[in-house]
Amino acid sequence: MAAAGVGRPVDKDGCPQGPWTPDLLARAISEIEANRDGIELRTVQLWFENNNKGISASNIRWLARVLGCNDPEASSAWQAELSAAQSRLTAKRRERRREGSAQAAEPEDGWRGQQGSGLPEVVQDSPRFGLACATEALFSFGSILNLAAAVFAGAVALQFVSYFLSIHSITYLRHDGVSKQVGFLWAPNWTVLFVVFLPLFFSVVADQIVRWKNVSRVRLLSAIGDGEQTGTWMSRVEASSYTYWVALLICVGFAGVFQWVSIRLLPLLNGGGAYAVDWGTLALVQPEQIGVLQQIAFTAIAYIYMCLCFYLFIAGLILLSSLVDDFVHIRTALADHQGHEHVPEIETSGSAILRGIFRCTIAGLLVAICMKLTSFYLVSPSPNIWEWLITDARSVLALSVMPVEADSFSKPNQYTSMLVVFLVSAVYLYGTIRIGASVSAGHSLVRSHLAVVFLALVYMLIGFIPGFSLLLSAGLIVACYGLFDPDFRFWWERHRSQYYVP
């Protein structure tokens, strides 16, 4: 009923103007004159979710008024049928509890029809607990800024701890006499990455998921008229449960434990290693500044935070892939219905998904750039990262300045950042190939492709050619513009399209 828009205003052809959403339904119930107390939006949202309470008798009365368009006879009939459906639902739950069934059906994304009654019934079974569903809930529950704010708060907490340990801004004297800045706050992969780019990525992914499952998906299913044949959103998420477990094991086992032991723990215990000195190994060169035990404890906390964040990063990419699959599946179901081959909502939803995937790709590439910048700066003889970038730019602009040469240290972040580039690029290609056919975006897709290729090229050339910092500056400009305008429609084109009449 929510997908069909029963009780909503109709157009000139007698068709409802669209499906019911929690906002619209709550507003319609609150506008009933006899309902002086109105109704809370969260209460109506629970009707669309997998809750264990159903709908109360008093709210069934107001819902019947809305569905019956305030006609006394129709409202009375709706109230009787809704009450009967609620009784059947209660009886089914009582029977399941009595039988002790351990099977938990997937939550529905809408309202499932009952055979023989002619009335939809809310199906609200208890969902199975799983890593995939729990991860999806982190992105979609509450505000889209919840997860981003949690990651931001964790990064700020680490920065405060580094300040208390006096390793936030600290230099050490290299063997060549250069006093090099290796403080925690000077490392882009621990400051800018977790404070700006990763929260940005999480907020965009959360916005895409919430918009899809609560708005776009409902509208597309209303055009089909039967949402059961397309499956549910949560069943689509649960289908990738093994992928989530693999991502968690890799991030915690390799990126977390193994990398911390090999890069931090063993060098601190053995007194050396093949890696350049930074904030995590200061105890090797300045034991009077921070003790080995303090260093081990702080790096352990930082790496736990890091590996969990990168699990959520990969999980966000998996969710975007599931979203693409769900959209393509519903689009195919629409094409199978005669007269629904050209639903305007298909192009609108597809374009919104592509824009969101592009923004996530930009944020992911900026994450990889931060990681690679830190790796190459640590093996350079420059006193700080800003001096390193300025010297590199001057080596091209002023011929008298020699380019900076790197030392022969291992750079573990280089391989991790390359994996990040590969993952975000793969999801971007997957989304544009599968969805691009249904979206007549024209040259906007071409420009977004060029922007992604350019940023990937900027990443590849960091530290390998003189003047890479100039390309990096241009890449940041392209990335910032693309985040605000993924279609890259410049102001004169928007102005021309607004006033030009062919």
Side-chain angles (χ1 to χ4, degrees), residues 384-395:
N384 58 69
I385 192 169
W386 295 112
E387 181 68 23
W388 175 53
L389 295 175
I390 294 173
T391 302
D392 173 77
R394 291 177 59 195
S395 66

Side-chain angles (χ1 to χ4, degrees), residues 35-54:
N35 185 12
R36 297 180 179 179
D37 297 332
I39 192 170
E40 294 183 358
L41 175 60
R42 183 54 186 163
T43 301
V44 181
Q45 288 174 339
L46 288 174
W47 300 350
F48 288 76
E49 296 177 1
N50 194 46
N51 70 86
N52 294 319
K53 297 181 180 179

Side-chain angles (χ1 to χ4, degrees), residues 411-434:
K411 298 180 284 292
N413 280 348
Q414 180 179 354
Y415 304 104
T416 309
S417 62
M418 190 177 299
L419 178 61
V420 171
V421 172
F422 172 77
L423 291 176
V424 297
S425 301
V427 173
Y428 177 77
L429 289 175
Y430 184 75
T432 53
I433 290 173
R434 299 204 66 188

Side-chain angles (χ1 to χ4, degrees), residues 219-277:
R219 291 176 179 175
L220 291 176
L221 291 179
S222 66
I224 299 177
D226 182 10
E228 293 185 12
Q229 60 181 316
T230 64
T232 65
W233 163 248
M234 293 309 300
S235 65
R236 185 78 58 187
V237 173
E238 187 65 25
S240 303
S241 59
Y242 291 109
T243 309
Y244 288 93
W245 280 109
V246 170
L248 181 63
L249 292 176
I250 291 177
C251 290
V252 175
F254 178 78
V257 177
F258 178 79
Q259 192 170 222
W260 173 72
V261 170
S262 60
I263 298 177
R264 303 300 180 190
L265 182 61
L266 292 181
L268 288 172
L269 294 178
N270 299 330
Y275 306 103
V277 175

Side-chain angles (χ1 to χ4, degrees), residues 128-209:
R128 294 175 296 174
F129 173 79
L131 180 63
C133 295
T135 303
E136 191 272 348
L138 290 176
F139 284 88
S140 61
F141 181 77
S143 172
I144 62 174
L145 297 179
N146 286 348
L147 183 57
V151 173
F152 175 85
V156 173
L158 284 177
Q159 293 169 16
F160 274 111
V161 174
S162 70
Y163 178 81
F164 296 142
L165 295 176
S166 299
I167 60 173
H168 62 290
S169 179
I170 191 170
T171 60
Y172 84 99
L173 190 63
R174 287 166 42 108
H175 59 84
D176 55 2
V178 176
S179 181
K180 192 174 185 64
Q181 173 63 250
V182 292
F184 186 83
L185 298 184
W186 288 76
N189 64 327
W190 288 97
T191 52
V192 180
L193 190 157
F194 290 103
V195 171
V196 180
F197 298 142
L198 212 54
L200 174 64
F201 174 86
F202 289 143
S203 61
V204 175
V205 173
D207 178 68
Q208 288 292 302
I209 295 173

